[in-house]
Amino acid sequence: DAKTTQPPSMDCAEGRAANLPCNHSTISGNEYVYWYRQIHSQGPQYIIHGLKNNETNEMASLIITEDRKSSTLILPHATLRDTAVYYCIVRVARGNKLVFGAGTILRVKS
Amino acid sequence: DSGVTQTPKHLITATGQRVTLRCSPRSGDLSVYWYQQSLDQGLQFLIQYYNGEERAKGNILERFSAQQFPDLHSELNLSSLELGDSALYFCASSDTSGGRTDTQYFGPGTRLTVL
């Protein structure tokens, strides 16, 4: 399984963009990058996923570097409700499970 | 709201007991996944069912078992409970059997406390 590395915590001012980095240097060419978040002890919430092109949806944008060894999740206008643990996951080529690491604790402050 | 429901929300029981956790997937989803989240282990995959059949197995203890019924709801049975089984148990569902682009949607979880 391709491993991911994320900073343990980050702070962001309310209303500013939150940029959450993720390193996945051993990713295979056909593996997707997924982002989930978990607010307090709620169920993980799907945010976005991508393969090689940048992706955007109503929640966030995902920027994947050309060599695919890293990616950045962007929350364009962070609010207090975006405070959560954010997980970057590389989807394994075989099998169906999601492998969660420790994630990044994002604290949005007013 | 992901559309995945789990009952009960909270469960408190004693060591040695047996409990059943229930999950109803999103409408139309055929796959159900179970995950355990404990303080020291983080979120870990337990097992997946697809259309009634076991599809993938993770770090699931022999004391734990699961099944998926014809109406696609799933139950996770935990027996001979130990203190260390105290955790959040999440169910997720997806519309396919799995794979790199299969998006899983999680329920709100069941908090199990073993005393």
Side-chain angles (χ1 to χ4, degrees):
Chain A
D1 299 353
K3 291 190 66 174
T4 62
T5 303
Q6 298 178 254
S9 65
M10 293 181 63
D11 290 339
C12 177
E14 189 178 21
R16 304 297 292 269
N19 297 282
L20 292 95
C22 179
N23 287 321
H24 31 78
S25 58
T26 61
I27 192 170
S28 299
N30 58 356
E31 290 180 319
Y32 281 71
V33 178
Y34 274 74
W35 283 83
Y36 280 79
R37 72 180 183 184
Q38 186 174 26
I39 298 171
H40 194 44
S41 294
Q42 298 177 21
Q45 179 187 22
Y46 166 76
I47 301 174
I48 199 167
H49 73 277
L51 181 63
K52 56 178 74 173
N53 297 319
N54 298 337
E55 302 287 345
T56 296
N57 63 20
E58 65 279 3
M59 287 184 68
S61 294
L62 174 61
I63 309 298
I64 302 175
T65 57
E66 194 168 339
D67 63 7
R68 302 189 69 240
K69 293 185 177 181
S70 66
S71 60
T72 301
L73 178 74
I74 301 172
L75 307 178
H77 305 287
T79 70
L80 297 178
R81 289 185 297 178
D82 292 321
T83 293
V85 180
Y86 287 76
Y87 298 100
C88 170
I89 299 166
V90 171
R91 194 64 180 270
V92 296
R94 300 184 304 279
N96 307 315
K97 62 183 179 181
L98 293 171
V99 180
F100 289 84
T104 296
I105 299 172
L106 174 69
R107 300 185 189 89
V108 180
K109 300 183 176 182
S110 58
Chain B
D1 184 359
S2 67
V4 179
T5 61
Q6 290 187 248
T7 56
K9 288 185 179 178
H10 302 277
L11 200 49
I12 301 175
T13 188
T15 55
Q17 296 297 306
R18 172 189 168 95
V19 297
T20 297
L21 313 183
R22 181 187 170 105
C23 168
S24 293
R26 296 186 316 157
S27 177
D29 283 0
L30 298 178
S31 271
V32 170
Y33 306 77
W34 287 96
Y35 291 82
Q36 178 193 55
Q37 185 173 32
S38 58
L39 282 175
D40 56 347
Q41 295 286 339
L43 264 161
Q44 291 205 317
F45 168 74
L46 295 178
I47 197 164
Q48 178 206 359
Y49 276 80
Y50 173 72
N51 204 20
E53 301 289 328
E54 182 183 305
R55 181 57 63 104
K57 222 169 186 177
N59 300 319
I60 187 167
L61 299 172
E62 286 192 10
R63 299 183 286 108
F64 296 1
S65 65
Q67 55 184 327
Q68 186 179 26
F69 295 86
D71 67 352
L72 300 177
H73 91 272
S74 177
E75 293 181 355
L76 180 66
N77 300 296
L78 315 176
S79 61
S80 302
L81 285 168
E82 302 175 358
L83 296 177
D85 297 327
S86 295
L88 280 164
Y89 291 85
F90 292 105
C91 164
S93 75
S94 69
D95 60 359
T96 69
S97 62
R100 296 187 305 274
T101 61
D102 181 60
T103 299
Q104 297 178 25
Y105 295 89
F106 285 76
T110 293
R111 181 178 293 279
L112 174 67
T113 302
V114 182
L115 301 176

